[in-house]
Amino acid sequence: NLKRNSPACIIYTSGTGGNPKGVILSHGGILNNLEGAKEIVEPLIKKKPVFLTWLPLSHSYEHTVQFVQIAVGAKVFYAEKIEKLLDNISQAKPTIMTAVPRFYQNLYNKININMKKASGLKLKLIEMTIKLGKKELNKEKMNFYENFLNIICKILVRKKIKKQFGGNLQAFVSGGGALDKEIGEFLNAIGLPTLQGYGLTETSPVVSCNPIHKIKVETVGPPFKGNQVKIAEDGEILVKGENVMLGYWNKKEETDKVIKNGWLYTGDIGEINPDDGYLKITDRKKDIIVNAGGDNIS
């Protein structure tokens, strides 16, 4: 008899703090994540959504994304290999793509290299697109002239860039590591909305994500409904809710170290904006680097 708090799966973490640990996630934890993800995804869906998947399906991030795809009735394409990713994007014409920061970093470099080849009027247009796009992103006031120029940028630059990604892309979602603010701003400014989220295997995995109507690139967005986030006195981010794991497989001592009174101690340092509840990650408690590919390295 399955209940929401019954174990659904065990996903092993990369074992940076010692040996790998089996994270037991519950059915309710994954469903809770889906409820939060639906709120992020629904405003992006005009018709049947299309996903292009290329992350390992065993990664807790992509593991839950697979259930999201089922929940929203999406059509799913699987990329052949990383080298063919851009070709696959133009074939699949995805509505949404989830990836780790390394993908966006490479994309940023690629687009930048192409833009550097531009000169004259073309270069001016690109510079204007980035400048006005950042203003729009940061909800800064624009005068009539700037608004008019921004519309021209949309037609002449952003539409063309979007076309290279199949023409239907509504949003990129970034998770599994920290996205460089400059990259986030740049992609949003040139017409590729990029939503940064935050999570860990122990939270099924998503804790929070930026919504499309209010993107703050330097943050990881507000917490998903159904989980609470608070900051401990030393700045550590604590998470409580159905999405928190049931524990580490056969490791009671390790479990009790990270879950106290129902609060999961994430090991990340952050702050919450009192005005809108957006979470910002500022540091890592232990000396662990999470690289742009989402790998943890001691």
Side-chain angles (χ1 to χ4, degrees), residues 56 209 290:
C209 187
V290 181

Side-chain angles (χ1 to χ4, degrees), residues 159-209:
K159 212 171 172 182
K160 270 191 183 140
I161 289 171
K162 213 170 166 178
K163 222 181 167 92
Q164 292 176 334
F165 293 88
N168 296 329
L169 191 80
Q170 297 300 312
F172 280 136
V173 181
S174 179
L179 180 71
D180 192 299
K181 185 184 172 201
E182 195 183 320
I183 295 172
E185 280 191 337
F186 173 82
L187 292 174
N188 277 292
I190 61 162
L192 299 171
T194 306
L195 316 173
Q196 182 174 208
Y198 163 69
L200 41 162
T201 306
E202 287 86 344
T203 56
S204 304
V206 189
V207 171
S208 65
C209 187

Side-chain angles (χ1 to χ4, degrees), residues 31-285:
L31 288 168
N32 176 277
N33 245 220
L34 298 191
E35 285 150 20
K38 243 181 136 178
E39 286 198 358
I40 296 290
V41 170
E42 282 194 324
L44 306 170
I45 301 170
K46 312 282 183 282
K47 46 182 192 274
K48 192 180 178 76
V50 176
F51 278 76
L52 175 68
T53 287
W54 67 279
L55 287 176
L57 303 180
S58 54
H59 191 292
S60 63
Y61 178 22
E62 200 56 56
H63 180 257
T64 295
V65 168
Q66 290 171 88
F67 294 117
V68 174
Q69 292 163 347
I70 295 167
V72 298
K75 185 175 184 180
V76 188
F77 286 83
Y78 295 92
E80 292 168 87
K81 53 184 177 193
I82 191 108
E83 294 76 30
K84 292 188 78 171
L85 196 54
L86 289 174
D87 292 341
N88 289 166
I89 289 173
S90 52
Q91 286 170 314
K93 300 181 173 40
T95 326
I96 300 164
M97 246 186 104
T98 51
V100 287
R102 184 190 290 149
F103 168 75
Y104 302 112
Q105 217 169 341
N106 292 342
L107 196 57
Y108 170 77
N109 296 339
K110 263 201 175 113
I111 296 172
N112 253 326
I113 288 166
N114 284 338
M115 283 183 172
K116 286 210 165 72
K117 292 175 189 162
S119 58
L121 185 64
K122 204 174 171 188
L123 181 67
K124 280 224 163 15
L125 251 178
I126 290 166
E127 285 170 349
M128 199 160 68
T129 303
I130 296 166
K131 192 178 141 195
L132 295 174
K134 282 183 182 175
K135 269 195 152 178
E136 194 178 1
L137 173 70
N138 297 322
K139 306 243 187 288
E140 287 173 36
K141 275 234 178 320
M142 290 198 272
N143 59 36
F144 174 79
Y145 179 61
E146 285 176 319
N147 274 317
F148 173 69
L149 288 177
N150 200 30
I151 290 167
I152 290 173
C153 292
K154 269 192 178 112
I155 297 163
L156 297 180
V157 182
R158 294 191 191 110
K159 212 171 172 182
K160 270 191 183 140
I161 289 171
K162 213 170 166 178
K163 222 181 167 92
Q164 292 176 334
F165 293 88
N168 296 329
L169 191 80
Q170 297 300 312
F172 280 136
V173 181
S174 179
L179 180 71
D180 192 299
K181 185 184 172 201
E182 195 183 320
I183 295 172
E185 280 191 337
F186 173 82
L187 292 174
N188 277 292
I190 61 162
L192 299 171
T194 306
L195 316 173
Q196 182 174 208
Y198 163 69
L200 41 162
T201 306
E202 287 86 344
T203 56
S204 304
V206 189
V207 171
S208 65
C209 187
N210 271 278
I212 191 77
H213 64 273
K214 189 185 177 188
I215 301 169
K216 293 174 78 176
V217 283
E218 71 286 1
T219 78
V220 290
F224 270 6
K225 247 210 312 237
N227 72 37
Q228 294 166 269
V229 175
K230 73 173 181 184
I231 309 293
E233 279 185 8
D234 64 355
E236 187 170 0
I237 298 165
L238 312 184
V239 182
K240 189 182 203 171
E242 201 179 13
N243 62 329
V244 171
M245 66 169 178
L246 300 174
Y248 292 122
W249 179 249
N250 286 341
K251 285 195 190 308
K252 184 168 170 15
E253 208 180 303
E254 300 271 10
T255 303
D256 293 342
K257 254 190 219 160
V258 294
I259 300 177
K260 295 167 197 165
N261 298 327
W263 289 95
L264 174 80
Y265 285 66
T266 63
D268 291 308
I269 304 287
E271 53 198 45
I272 294 171
N273 185 322
D275 301 326
D276 53 23
Y278 276 52
L279 177 64
K280 188 176 182 180
I281 316 289
T282 55
D283 207 356
R284 177 85 195 143
K285 211 167 173 180

